[in-house]
Amino acid sequence: MERLQKVIASAGYTSRRKAEELIVAGKVSVNGKIVRELGTKVSGDDLILVNGESLEREDKVYFLLNKPRGVVSTVSDEANRKKVIDYINTNKRIYPIGRLDYDTTGLIILTNDGALANALMHPSHSVEKTYVAKLNRVMTPQDQKLLKQGVKVEGVKCIPTRVKVRKVDYEHDSCIVEITIVEGRNHIIKRVFESLGYLVDKLTRIQYGFLTLDNLKSGEYRALSIKEVKKLYEYSKK
Ligand code: URA
């Protein structure tokens, strides 16, 4: 038996606080009866309606995938291209938290936990993400300085938390830059470098918050531990 507000929140319907408000406002019924007491406990067999809609209660699953190149991060694709969800063996309706471009590789989290996904994607709870970018030219010290100070993309400054030039190849005029940002605008890394006059030839996400790729090969995935999921929830409270 679990508390009603917890069950509503973990179904991804809304936050626990909002769930409490809904209960008190008489918007929640259990087995056909309106319930206004916050301490009410429910079991898996109880029929819960929120605002007249039945609450879907599925076990939550969480996966970390090393996304290969040439794969879309959406759950459906008109062009029938390979999708990130195709790599995960589950019968749950999972979706990725945020997106990586078709040609970007690396760490992506997939879940059916709408509450966590919404919380982590919300700009106010942005999580640090670290990328490794291969650029089409050696980056000048001046541009490195500009990048560290922050670069405007469509009028909004993106200030990296960390920037490190990992490798410089003068012979082929290219370099590898490690960059950490918190924001999540689409194509943000490519656009940041573009605004400084560089093209990103290759892009990999190596870290999402405290999570790293470790030994996962391209296309491989693993389930997150309960401890890791709890730690991800911590971000949404910050
Ligand atoms: N920034 C990009 O440009 N592409 C990604 O896939 C992720 C971040």
Side-chain angles (χ1 to χ4, degrees), residues 5-15 55-58 60 95 112-118 233:
Q5 58 267 42
K6 184 170 177 222
V7 171
I8 296 171
S10 49
Y13 190 88
T14 184
S15 67
L55 192 74
E56 271 193 47
R57 285 192 280 165
E58 224 185 19
K60 298 294 177 256
Y95 39 85
N112 57 349
D113 182 343
L116 182 68
N118 289 335
Y233 261 99

Side-chain angles (χ1 to χ4, degrees), residues 163-223:
V163 175
K164 191 176 159 203
V165 178
R166 269 196 184 182
K167 219 172 168 185
V168 178
D169 183 346
Y170 291 103
E171 199 188 334
H172 300 101
D173 194 16
S174 74
C175 66
I176 292 180
V177 182
E178 187 175 312
I179 176 169
T180 302
I181 57 165
V182 289
E183 73 154 279
R185 277 185 281 169
N186 273 346
H187 318 302
I188 188 66
I189 297 289
K190 290 175 186 166
R191 288 154 87 195
V192 160
F193 283 112
E194 260 165 36
S195 65
L196 289 168
Y198 299 83
L199 286 180
V200 174
D201 286 336
K202 273 188 184 167
L203 188 62
T204 303
R205 182 155 70 189
I206 59 166
Q207 189 154 355
Y208 184 96
F210 62 92
L211 292 168
T212 55
L213 280 172
D214 296 323
N215 299 320
L216 281 185
K217 296 195 182 75
S218 175
E220 285 184 348
Y221 72 94
R222 68 172 178 91

Side-chain angles (χ1 to χ4, degrees), residues 12-195:
Y13 190 88
T14 184
S15 67
R16 201 179 294 199
R17 196 177 53 77
K18 292 250 169 65
E20 289 176 356
E21 286 172 13
L22 288 167
I23 294 169
V24 172
K27 306 279 187 203
V28 180
S29 71
V30 178
N31 302 328
K33 263 197 184 159
I34 303 249
V35 168
R36 289 174 191 266
E37 290 83 47
L38 290 178
T40 306
K41 298 239 170 120
V42 288
S43 76
D45 300 330
D46 290 322
L47 174 68
I48 301 166
L49 300 187
V50 182
N51 282 323
E53 271 175 47
S54 140
L55 192 74
E56 271 193 47
R57 285 192 280 165
E58 224 185 19
D59 285 342
K60 298 294 177 256
V61 289
Y62 307 84
F63 301 102
L64 187 164
L65 169 72
N66 185 352
K67 175 190 171 298
R69 214 177 156 91
V71 175
V72 287
S73 299
T74 45
V75 287
S76 63
D77 184 58
E78 281 171 10
N80 228 356
R81 291 173 296 181
K82 193 126 179 137
K83 306 179 283 293
V84 278
I85 55 168
D86 298 337
Y87 286 85
I88 316 278
N89 184 12
T90 178
N91 55 6
K92 304 276 192 298
R93 279 179 292 142
I94 55 168
Y95 39 85
I97 299 185
R99 283 189 185 184
L100 289 179
D101 293 335
Y102 185 65
D103 59 353
T104 299
T105 59
L107 198 162
I108 191 157
I109 299 167
L110 297 108
T111 183
N112 57 349
D113 182 343
L116 182 68
N118 289 335
L120 292 180
M121 284 191 284
H122 195 273
S124 65
H125 304 131
S126 289
V127 180
E128 278 192 351
K129 292 154 270 253
T130 302
Y131 297 86
V132 174
K134 182 169 184 258
L135 305 185
N136 69 330
R137 287 192 294 120
V138 172
M139 214 181 181
T140 64
Q142 293 91 314
D143 285 340
Q144 286 178 42
K145 201 170 156 203
L146 286 176
L147 178 61
K148 285 176 185 161
Q149 286 167 350
V151 174
K152 270 196 179 169
V153 172
E154 278 173 8
V156 180
K157 222 175 195 186
C158 174
I159 307 175
T161 319
R162 276 184 300 279
V163 175
K164 191 176 159 203
V165 178
R166 269 196 184 182
K167 219 172 168 185
V168 178
D169 183 346
Y170 291 103
E171 199 188 334
H172 300 101
D173 194 16
S174 74
C175 66
I176 292 180
V177 182
E178 187 175 312
I179 176 169
T180 302
I181 57 165
V182 289
E183 73 154 279
R185 277 185 281 169
N186 273 346
H187 318 302
I188 188 66
I189 297 289
K190 290 175 186 166
R191 288 154 87 195
V192 160
F193 283 112
E194 260 165 36
S195 65

